[in-house]
Amino acid sequence: MFKRITPQTIADWGERIYIRFLELTKRFTSTQIMALLAIIVGVLAGLGTCLFELLLYGIKAGLTHWFPVEQSHFLFLFYPVIGIILASLFVKYVVKDNISEGVTRVLYAMSRKNSYIASHNCWTSVVGGATTIGFGGSVGPEAPIVLTGAAIGSNISRLAHLNYKNTTLLLCCGAGAALAAIFKAPITGVVFVLEILMLDLTSRTVVPLLISSITAAAVALTIRLNQIPLFVLLGIFCGLMSYYFTTVNARVGTFFKKIDSPYKKWLIGGAVLGILIYIFPPLYGEGYEGFMSLMHGNTTELFNNSLFYRFSQIDWVVILFIVGTMFFKVIAMASTNAAGGVGGTFAPSLFVGAFMGAITALVCNTLFGWNLSLVSFTLVGMSGVMSGVMKAPLTSIFLIAELSSGYGLFIPLMITACIAFAIDYYLDPDSIYTKQLRQNGELITHNKDESVFVFLRLDDLIQDDGVYIHPSQTL
């Protein structure tokens, strides 16, 4: 009745998954594919960690929860050795492979086995480690869970038919993700991989590592942090807003470039700015006061000197005013620079992000009666839009973490910043700084392979001092 599952059957399934994967990602760049695979590895590593913890604490609770706390128990004398025996028998007769010293096995796979780790390690280390520790073995969970995550990354890479370089990257993503999930510390997972597994520190490697670690930690924390889905949603909004930011900035710049007369530029730019600031006073200057008001949860100050001051206590007016200010901030910034002003886009991206975060919190509080922190969502929104606009998730995460004088928002910051970065990168791979340079063919710092050709001098490579052989000559 049921078909027997054989290694060939599993291989066929893998091939079908690979073909389907190619169909779904045919429009993706290699960077986008690696980011997608990093998310998949992070989810699976996070689930594997949850399974490990569930099994570990289930065994421990079943064995010890009924002990009287006021006295010792003789079973402590026997539990550890029983756990060691069970784990040893499991390894000898079921696994039939060495799964101890997980980190060492990962390093060995990277150096001697082309980053290939057997598929059974995706679950056997979970069972062996949970049994050993659950029965009282005085060891840590990190070795078996790192091997589990690394095995997940390695086998996902095999399914995707990746080369050694990308297989190693996904293996490291799995290892870092598993460690991030077990300790609920994403940055620790990234740094562990960079220092212990010695992966090269480049944007190509750090971003997938960061994505997988955040994803795994988010999966492990989903039950504890019920606001994670909202930060995911905020990340999506910030990614779309980042694309709006860079696109509108480029279009406004193109519009002003078509105007030959500087006087017309001054007149049009001044008129646009004057009207916008008159209607939305928070657009005046760099907008520092505006997003500081949001950071302190004081939306009333945004209406100072505004036509709408008398409506500042009406929730929906506040939301619409913030939405208008956010969208027109980009036009005001772009018009200022394009008309001849001198200024940057760093602070405006923080401004727009702050307003995006505030809108998310205010809408949820108004519609559903929730009590979301306006300050937290404002800060996280700042990180999201900045990450997308500048294609700099790490910079945005650490900047806002330091601005908020602590790392309590670290995981929400990482989730939102990475999702915003991924969405905006999919829509437009250039940052606001590189977009114009790439369009003009003047960007030589962001693609090392292209840079080699830029600096290559073909005249120096051509040899013109050879001996010429004519067809009429004999051997």
Side-chain angles (χ1 to χ4, degrees):
M1 182 179 294
F2 297 101
K3 290 184 177 180
R4 189 167 62 91
I5 297 177
T6 64
Q8 184 59 43
T9 305
I10 297 174
D12 292 340
W13 289 347
E15 194 64 26
R16 290 174 186 173
I17 293 172
Y18 174 62
I19 293 172
R20 184 60 178 161
F21 175 76
L22 289 180
E23 292 174 351
L24 293 174
T25 60
K26 59 185 177 182
R27 291 182 60 248
F28 288 16
T29 66
S30 59
T31 303
Q32 292 165 349
I33 289 174
M34 289 305 297
L36 175 62
L37 291 175
I39 293 173
I40 295 172
V41 170
V43 170
L44 295 177
L47 293 174
T49 301
C50 292
L51 177 63
F52 179 85
E53 291 180 327
L54 184 66
L55 185 59
L56 168 61
Y57 293 113
I59 294 172
K60 184 177 180 181
L63 295 176
T64 64
H65 81 283
W66 49 276
F67 286 179
V69 295
E70 65 273 8
Q71 63 186 49
S72 61
H73 204 286
F74 74 94
L75 286 178
F76 280 135
L77 297 171
F78 304 102
Y79 278 166
V81 70
I82 293 173
I84 292 173
I85 293 171
L86 290 175
S88 299
L89 293 174
F90 173 73
V91 171
K92 183 176 181 180
Y93 294 105
V94 178
V95 181
K96 299 178 182 179
D97 190 12
N98 183 9
I99 60 173
S100 62
E101 298 296 334
V103 178
T104 303
R105 303 297 301 172
V106 173
L107 288 170
Y108 178 77
M110 292 172 64
S111 61
R112 295 295 182 183
K113 300 184 69 177
N114 292 323
S115 292
Y116 167 71
I117 299 178
S119 57
H120 70 75
N121 285 287
C122 295
W123 64 274
T124 52
S125 297
V126 169
V127 176
T131 301
T132 302
I133 301 171
F135 273 84
S138 190
V139 290
E142 67 284 341
I145 205 62
V146 164
L147 181 56
T148 299
I152 290 172
S154 175
N155 283 275
I156 290 294
S157 178
R158 286 178 61 207
L159 287 175
H161 294 202
L162 300 183
N163 58 25
Y164 169 74
K165 186 177 182 180
N166 288 329
T167 298
T168 302
L169 176 56
L170 275 193
L171 177 150
C172 291
C173 285
L179 195 72
I182 198 72
F183 289 114
K184 314 300 182 289
I187 287 296
T188 299
V190 175
V191 176
F192 168 83
V193 168
L194 297 177
E195 289 193 319
I196 305 300
L197 302 186
M198 305 300 288
L199 192 68
D200 292 336
L201 181 62
T202 65
S203 61
R204 177 190 166 276
T205 58
V206 169
V207 171
L209 272 176
L210 194 59
I211 291 173
S212 61
S213 296
I214 293 168
T215 304
V219 169
L221 283 167
T222 298
I223 298 176
R224 303 183 189 184
L225 296 180
N226 56 9
Q227 290 184 1
I228 280 183
L230 291 176
F231 288 116
V232 172
L233 186 65
L234 178 58
I236 295 172
F237 291 156
C238 288
L240 297 174
M241 177 51 65
S242 300
Y243 179 68
Y244 167 83
F245 193 105
T246 53
T247 302
V248 169
N249 180 70
R251 290 182 179 178
V252 171
T254 302
F255 170 78
F256 273 90
K257 281 182 180 178
K258 295 177 181 178
I259 303 173
D260 296 330
S261 170
Y263 303 105
K264 289 183 179 179
K265 287 184 179 181
W266 299 340
L267 180 63
I268 295 173
V272 170
L273 278 172
I275 293 170
L276 289 179
I277 292 173
Y278 180 74
I279 300 173
F280 301 101
L283 298 179
Y284 189 94
E286 84 280 15
Y288 180 79
E289 295 83 0
F291 65 74
M292 285 302 294
S293 297
L294 288 178
M295 285 175 61
H296 292 95
N298 190 353
T299 59
T300 304
E301 290 184 0
L302 299 174
F303 288 85
N304 290 351
N305 306 117
S306 168
L307 296 171
F308 311 103
Y309 184 82
R310 62 183 181 277
F311 305 112
S312 61
Q313 301 301 319
I314 303 175
D315 291 339
W316 283 107
V317 173
V318 173
I319 292 172
L320 292 174
F321 187 80
I322 292 176
V323 169
T325 303
M326 177 181 68
F327 278 99
F328 285 114
K329 175 65 176 180
V330 182
I331 297 175
M333 173 207 70
S335 299
T336 301
N337 284 327
V342 178
T345 57
F346 198 103
S349 69
L350 294 177
F351 181 98
V352 171
F355 277 63
M356 175 57 77
I359 291 166
T360 304
L362 287 171
V363 169
C364 290
N365 292 343
T366 303
L367 277 181
F368 307 110
W370 296 345
N371 190 27
L372 300 182
S373 170
L374 189 62
V375 177
S376 296
F377 275 79
T378 298
L379 289 167
V380 175
M382 292 165 69
S383 175
V385 173
M386 179 184 171
S387 171
V389 168
M390 299 185 179
K391 302 297 188 292
L394 288 176
T395 300
S396 67
I397 290 166
F398 283 102
L399 172 66
I400 304 306
E402 291 186 315
L403 281 178
S404 59
S405 302
Y407 291 83
L409 287 173
F410 215 62
I411 289 179
L413 284 171
M414 295 173 73
I415 291 171
T416 301
C418 283
I419 290 176
F421 168 81
I423 289 176
D424 188 62
Y425 189 92
Y426 176 74
L427 297 172
D428 185 356
D430 283 311
S431 72
I432 197 169
Y433 300 125
T434 63
K435 190 175 184 68
Q436 185 176 354
L437 290 174
R438 190 181 298 279
Q439 289 174 345
N440 297 335
E442 299 171 341
L443 184 67
I444 63 172
T445 60
H446 284 58
N447 188 305
K448 301 300 184 290
D449 295 331
E450 292 178 3
S451 298
V452 170
F453 288 104
V454 170
F455 292 109
L456 194 62
R457 297 290 180 266
L458 293 179
D459 292 341
D460 298 336
L461 300 177
I462 297 175
Q463 296 182 355
D464 56 1
D465 58 348
V467 178
Y468 295 90
I469 300 175
H470 299 285
S472 60
Q473 291 180 310
T474 64
L475 180 61

